Each structure stands twice: as structure tokens, then as C-alpha cells.
Amino acid sequence: MKKLFLIFILLANLILCGCVAQKVPGKHGFYSTKSPALTIQFNGLEYQGEYKENKSKASVHTYFYSDREGNNGAWVEIINMRQGWTVRPKQVPGDKLPNTGIYTRKIAGESYYCRTFLVPPDSGKSGLASQPGYTAVRICNKLISPAQKISIGYAGKVDPALTKKLFSSTNYGGLTQAQKDFFTAFDKRADTVLIMDKYQQGDVEEKIENAVILEDPWYTFTDFLPLNRQIDKIVR
């Protein structure tokens, strides 16, 4: 009986310590306790709210962070597939815009597929594409399972004169060295705003207890890559 009691206490502690996967937003951070184990600290950004989409093939939950001036924004997005559908592992938004192509990087010891690209001013009707200036974007994806994916995005306003000069003509085939240097600098900028490391117990600070639900977010998961290009139907 004593052994059973000790086992019960151990299981209870495992649950309380965060071994059950949770996605926890904080005022200046986001915490994934498992799958993947990840802590993101947002330097200068603050929690703005959340947005949920429910489609016939998937459900999506997105957490938004930005600075007070609106010059920098970030989001963490979780896609969960419905039964019968699976996520393509290497589909990253932005391939129809001037970009650096897909590249792999390590985040908290795990591999993510990333893309850094440019959104021209007034190139769309809503969200980031409706901004009057140039916006650079970096999105990193990780397949958690065949039915779940996490996406971490960062967007920031960039110098309009320099950007217009560097990208005066659209070239999808290959980037000039100056364009590559531009994206490398933005990638480093993203790393100073999104500080990411492996989650450890005790990381959670200023946990958001009551979600703020956004009705009209400035980014949605289909903005740069339609859902039907991100998924496959399971054939048995």
C-alpha cells in the first residue's frame, strides 16, 4: 500500500512539473513545456492576444506579441490536423515573395525549417501585406508530429529607402550579395528580439490567465501559404 501511495505521489508531481505538454503564453514570453520543449523570451514585445481558426481539415491557435510602436511583431502558431489529414514537414510560407529560400537552423537543440522574406508595401488587402512600408518576415516551422506543427514568426519594419534600392527589381531565381546580407542582418535582428532556449521548469513568468481574443489579427496562417499547400490527405 505504501508503494502504491508513493507511485501516486510521483505521478502527481510529474503532472505538476509540466511533463504533460502545455503551451503557456506569458506577458513577455511563450512557453512550450513539451513537444517541443521551448521557451521564447520576447525582447521589447508584449502579449497582445490570441486568434483561433477552426477549419474542416485543421484547427489553428495563434499567440501574438508586439511592441507599443507597432514596428515589431511576433507570433507562435500551433496547427492541429483533423483525422485523415497530415502536415507536410517542409512547407514554409513566403515562397512567392523575394526570399532566401528554405534553410535549416537549430532552435533549442532541435531542427526547424525557416524562411526570411520581404513583404512589399500595400501588396495585399489585410494584415502585414496592407502596411504602407516594407516589412521583413522570418518564419520557422517544426513538425511536432504528422498531425501537429508549430510555427514561430517575427516581422519588423525595415528601412524603406535601403530596401527599395536593394529590391528595385523582383528576382525569384537568385539573390544578389547585398540582398543576402540584408536578410542575414534581419535574421540576426530577429534573434535579438526572440530569445529562444530549451524549456526548463520555472521558466514561466507573468502567465496570462485570461486570453485576449483578437477578431482581426494582423497575421493568419494562410496569409503567405494556403492551407491546401501545407497538408496531405492520408491514404490507407
Side-chain angles (χ1 to χ4, degrees):
M1 181 64 69
K2 186 176 181 180
K3 287 183 178 180
L4 288 174
F5 178 75
L6 290 174
I7 291 172
F8 174 79
I9 294 296
L10 177 61
L11 289 173
N13 286 334
L14 285 173
I15 292 171
L16 290 173
C17 80
C19 295
V20 175
Q22 298 180 44
K23 305 294 183 281
V24 184
K27 186 176 181 180
H28 300 285
F30 181 85
Y31 312 91
S32 175
T33 64
K34 191 177 180 181
S35 301
L38 178 67
T39 289
I40 307 173
Q41 292 294 335
F42 298 102
N43 184 16
L45 306 188
E46 188 171 312
Y47 171 88
Q48 299 298 314
E50 302 168 29
Y51 183 68
K52 295 182 180 181
E53 293 184 74
N54 289 298
K55 304 288 185 180
S56 60
K57 301 171 185 176
S59 65
V60 185
H61 192 168
T62 312
Y63 305 82
F64 292 93
Y65 298 78
S66 70
D67 60 15
R68 293 181 179 180
E69 295 76 23
N71 293 324
N72 298 273
W75 59 92
V76 181
E77 175 181 272
I78 312 294
I79 296 182
N80 289 287
M81 303 308 304
R82 306 290 188 195
Q83 186 174 359
W85 295 89
T86 184
V87 188
R88 294 175 183 170
K90 298 183 181 180
Q91 292 295 312
V92 185
D95 61 340
K96 295 298 181 182
L97 296 167
N99 58 81
T100 59
I102 292 176
Y103 60 98
T104 302
R105 65 175 299 160
K106 290 284 186 179
I107 297 175
E110 300 191 49
S111 292
Y112 284 70
Y113 286 94
C114 303
R115 188 192 299 275
T116 307
F117 57 92
L118 192 67
V119 182
D122 301 314
S123 57
K125 296 180 180 179
S126 62
L128 295 174
S130 68
Q131 298 296 317
Y134 285 92
T135 304
V137 180
R138 186 187 77 182
I139 299 179
C140 293
N141 293 344
K142 177 175 176 57
L143 197 67
I144 299 172
S145 74
Q148 190 177 59
K149 182 173 72 172
I150 185 170
S151 181
I152 304 163
Y154 167 70
K157 292 182 179 179
V158 289
D159 183 277
L162 174 63
T163 308
K164 187 174 182 180
K165 179 181 178 181
L166 292 178
F167 296 92
S168 57
S169 61
T170 302
N171 57 332
Y172 297 105
L175 299 173
T176 66
Q177 187 58 51
Q179 290 171 333
K180 290 178 182 178
D181 292 343
F182 172 88
F183 283 123
T184 297
F186 183 77
D187 192 50
K188 291 179 179 178
R189 170 179 160 185
D191 284 340
T192 65
V193 179
L194 279 67
I195 302 168
M196 298 181 278
D197 206 347
K198 195 172 184 66
Y199 173 80
Q200 296 182 22
Q201 187 180 356
D203 279 357
V204 177
E205 296 179 355
E206 299 181 284
K207 178 181 176 182
I208 301 298
E209 299 291 349
N210 299 304
V212 176
I213 304 302
L214 303 177
E215 295 184 359
D216 186 24
W218 37 265
Y219 168 83
T220 60
F221 75 107
T222 56
D223 274 359
F224 304 114
L225 188 64
L227 179 63
N228 60 6
R229 293 186 55 205
Q230 301 185 52
I231 66 175
D232 283 314
K233 190 171 185 178
I234 297 174
V235 179
R236 300 188 186 280

